[in-house]
Amino acid sequence: MKVQINPELCQGHGRCYDLAPGLFGADDEGYGQVLGDGTVPPGAGHDAELAAANCPEQAVELLEEG
Amino acid sequence: MAVDERFPQDPRDVAEEAEAGVRNEIITGPVSDWATDFSHLEPEWSADPYPIQDDLRQRCPIAHTERFGGAWLPTRYKDVSAIAYDTERFSSRQIIVSNFRSPRDIAPVGEAPPISSDPPFHHDARKLLLGGFTKKEVAKQEPATRAFCHALVDELAGRDVVDAARDYAQHIPVRVIANMLGFPEEDGPQFRVFVEDVLEGINRQPEERQEAFARLDAYLLAQVHDHLDNPRDDLTSFLIDAELYGSKLPPNVVTGAMALLLIAGIDTTWSAIGSSLWHLAKTPADRERLVAEPGLLPTAMEEFLRVYAPVTMARLVRDDMHWRGVDMKADDWILLSFPAANRDPAQFDRPGEVVIDREVNRHAAFGLGIHRCLGSHLARMELRVALEVWLERVPSFTLDNPAAVTWSSGQIRGPRSLPLRIG
Ligand code: HEM
Ligand code: SF4
């Protein structure tokens, strides 16, 4: 699974980097950023789902690979 | 004395500008039917708006009133979010419902950018401020905030009954924003008067309202001059020096943004802290669980923000239009209730219940879209620290007298008097 942020929708609420700091960070203006290439390591699936489910703008996308 | 020609020395030069715009008749008194005559300024709404909103959501999801010169109240999440996202048809020219409409040509800047601004100006004004309010940046305020919360609790020593709204919650955001703007800490009591004038004095006579705004302008101008004489590392000096489109900011943008930062963070955060403590005082199971499991606080906090969302905003309809079944007129108000959206059963399971371990919580307490609360990271830090310190120092507390709790009136909702029995 991979995570991705839609920059058109993100408004910098920061729920993603609060809930899943291993997967997301913030840029200098507080907008969410995916760390690395967004691959969700084993064990981090729940964090990824929480971030997606709590983003008020529905900007966090989960992509199933394959 | 340092001179900057943008800012007059005498505040009366600012205050006496003639006021253009449109006033309507002020209508007060009991509401006949909430679907056709609502008013968020009547005591019934202040005491408990949620049953009213829940009822409207079922029988008349976009309610109307002739008060305030005409206003609409959507209560479904999908309508509130659609309006927040649609900055073309719904303007932020004014975001507090009143009996006065400012002239249309103050858009897209408005009186307190960026909250009163529309695209395209909004983006540029907001961008100036974003860097100062990131999670990382506001973390710098955390140690001082924590120390201040402890000092406030120290003051309560020896008392059985304390007012958690007045003696604790309200002081926290006042102190934090005074430090960030570089205003004297001892001016705190004045800030609370400004906040009340702007947010609660809606149905006062226009002359009285204007005098109150003039006092706020005069205060801000004095702070500008103080910062021109002694520039320092704070938001006021930052705004005075900031540039947009290659030149320094116009004076009304500097003082408008200062006013916004002063007003926007006080009542709101005070309300969030107070409502959370009110809930915990009357719900021993939740209080005991949070004392035992402090790690749950960030999750619980989001639930308090959802269910007791302190902030309702407003918009002005841009042009006459038929929208989702109703006929809106240009310059009708929209009372944009994030609190009502947060309790929509179409969006949340068990919306009326406070579930402190609710994991999925896509609430809209800090708004949606381009006006997302600029201070949300700061507010979350203050709320978390305020609750952490309180629960650590005062783990056991109950409502002293539920009937003695009073609530603010207007678009920001929270307890203004909250007597708690402690120890
Ligand atoms: C729990 C506390 C708070 C709540 C619930 C809250 C809520 C909100 C909401 C709902 C909006 C959206 C306005 C709209 O859509 O028109 C907003 C905007 C804003 N808030 Fe807050 N707020 C809080 C605390 C703060 C603090 C501490 C500050 C810091 C000074 C602040 C500064 C602002 C500013 C500057 C805006 C305008 C942003 C823009 O228009 O781009 N708020 N707030
Ligand atoms: S939670 Fe959503 S809106 Fe907020 S920073 Fe993350 S992606 Fe952006």
Side-chain angles (χ1 to χ4, degrees), chain B residues 8-17 214-215 217-219 221-222 225:
Chain B
Q9 295 295 338
D10 187 338
R12 281 169 302 185
D13 294 345
V14 186
E16 282 175 7
E17 274 170 30
R215 278 196 297 275
D217 283 339
Y219 179 84
L221 196 61
H225 285 296

Side-chain angles (χ1 to χ4, degrees), chain B residues 184-206:
Chain B
E185 285 176 354
E186 61 275 15
D187 290 353
Q190 275 191 69
F191 303 166
R192 287 189 289 273
V193 177
F194 295 146
V195 169
E196 213 180 285
D197 286 341
V198 173
L199 296 174
E200 299 205 16
I202 305 300
N203 279 337
R204 289 186 200 150
Q205 288 306 316

